[in-house]
């Protein structure tokens, strides 16, 4: 599935207070990171996971530096997503107040 940046922005903006400039800025940063992540994917696809480097007369193989950058970007996306409360579905309930629930609440 191809990720469309406009659709992603619309989805993210719907999850924040659009009048809060700090949150809007975080969404913009998130989108910039997604673009960088895609560029790293393109670089890895184009050059492969192992690339040949030349240093004068020397030639040697090295892991594509885009892989390490992709990992850093992924971590930043996760952290920024948590800051934007985008990980709501992954939160774990650690305690339940039994007085607030009844059998009819079960589906």
């Amino acid at each position: 599935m191809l990720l469309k940046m406009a659709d992603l922005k619309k989805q993210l903006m719907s999850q924040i207070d659009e009048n809060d400039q700090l949150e809007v800025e975080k969404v913009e940063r998130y989108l910039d990171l997604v673009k960088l992540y895609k560029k790293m994917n393109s670089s890895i696809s184009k050059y492969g996971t192992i690339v040949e480097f030349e240093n004068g007369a020397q030639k040697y193989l090295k892991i594509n530096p885009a892989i390490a950058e992709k990992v850093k970007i992924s971590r930043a996306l996760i952290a920024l997503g948590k800051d934007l409360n985008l990980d709501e579905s992954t939160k774990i309930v650690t305690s339940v107040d039994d007085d607030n629930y009844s059998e009819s609440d079960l589906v």
Side-chain angles (χ1 to χ4, degrees):
M1 182 172 129
L2 185 61
L3 177 66
K4 294 182 182 177
M5 294 303 290
D7 291 342
L8 178 59
K9 183 174 183 174
K10 183 179 176 181
Q11 180 180 349
L12 292 171
M13 293 300 284
S14 72
Q15 296 181 37
I16 66 165
D17 176 6
E18 292 185 40
N19 295 318
D20 185 337
Q21 292 302 303
L22 181 59
E23 288 193 6
V24 171
E25 172 62 27
K26 288 177 186 178
V27 167
E28 293 299 327
R29 274 189 273 150
Y30 191 92
L31 294 170
D32 287 342
L33 286 170
V34 169
K35 289 175 191 173
L36 286 173
Y37 190 86
K38 286 180 167 188
K39 286 181 182 180
M40 295 302 111
N41 273 343
S42 294
S43 173
I44 294 166
S45 294
K46 182 176 180 180
Y47 299 107
T49 56
I50 306 288
V51 291
E52 184 177 340
F53 286 92
E54 288 187 43
N55 185 6
Q58 293 180 322
K59 289 185 181 182
Y60 56 96
L61 297 176
K62 189 175 177 182
I63 293 176
N64 188 335
I67 295 171
E69 293 305 312
K70 184 178 167 184
V71 171
K72 290 178 190 175
I73 293 167
S74 180
R75 286 184 188 136
L77 281 167
I78 291 167
L80 192 52
K82 286 180 181 178
D83 197 36
L84 286 166
N85 296 317
L86 299 180
D87 63 336
E88 290 292 325
S89 63
T90 60
K91 289 189 177 180
I92 299 170
V93 176
T94 56
S95 65
V96 176
D97 184 3
D98 292 332
D99 297 331
N100 292 333
Y101 296 99
S102 68
E103 287 183 12
S104 64
D105 291 332
L106 299 175
V107 179

